[in-house]
Amino acid sequence: MTSKSEDRAAHELTEAMEETMQRVQGRFQTLSHQLEDKNIQMGRRIDDLQKNVSELMTQAGMDQAVCK
């Protein structure tokens, strides 16, 4: 048999662990969203860079030389 104080201690520990896990999960979700946003931004920047490089190659007349 367990005493009431042991039961209470076990219950408090369980609550503390649940709260900790909820905080960790919240932080993980926040970081996941931040990483996803950064990946989207990086993709847009790469797309813009490719567009700018293509435009510069066209202006320099290199696009025709590269295709031949």
Side-chain angles (χ1 to χ4, degrees):
M1 286 179 135
T2 61
S3 69
K4 287 185 180 184
S5 62
E6 289 174 336
D7 288 343
R8 187 175 63 234
H11 179 72
E12 289 173 359
L13 180 59
T14 300
E15 285 182 351
M17 289 303 300
E18 287 175 356
E19 289 173 12
T20 300
M21 291 304 295
Q22 288 174 357
R23 282 195 311 270
V24 168
Q25 182 179 9
R27 289 177 183 166
F28 180 78
Q29 288 176 341
T30 298
L31 287 173
S32 293
H33 291 305
Q34 289 173 347
L35 285 172
E36 185 178 349
D37 290 344
K38 293 289 182 184
N39 282 335
I40 290 169
Q41 290 175 6
M42 182 75 70
R44 288 180 184 149
R45 288 179 179 179
I46 289 171
D47 290 344
D48 289 345
L49 181 59
Q50 288 174 330
K51 180 182 172 190
N52 290 336
V53 168
S54 293
E55 289 173 359
L56 288 171
M57 290 177 69
T58 299
Q59 290 174 3
M62 293 178 62
D63 58 333
Q64 296 172 357
V66 172
C67 292
K68 291 182 182 178

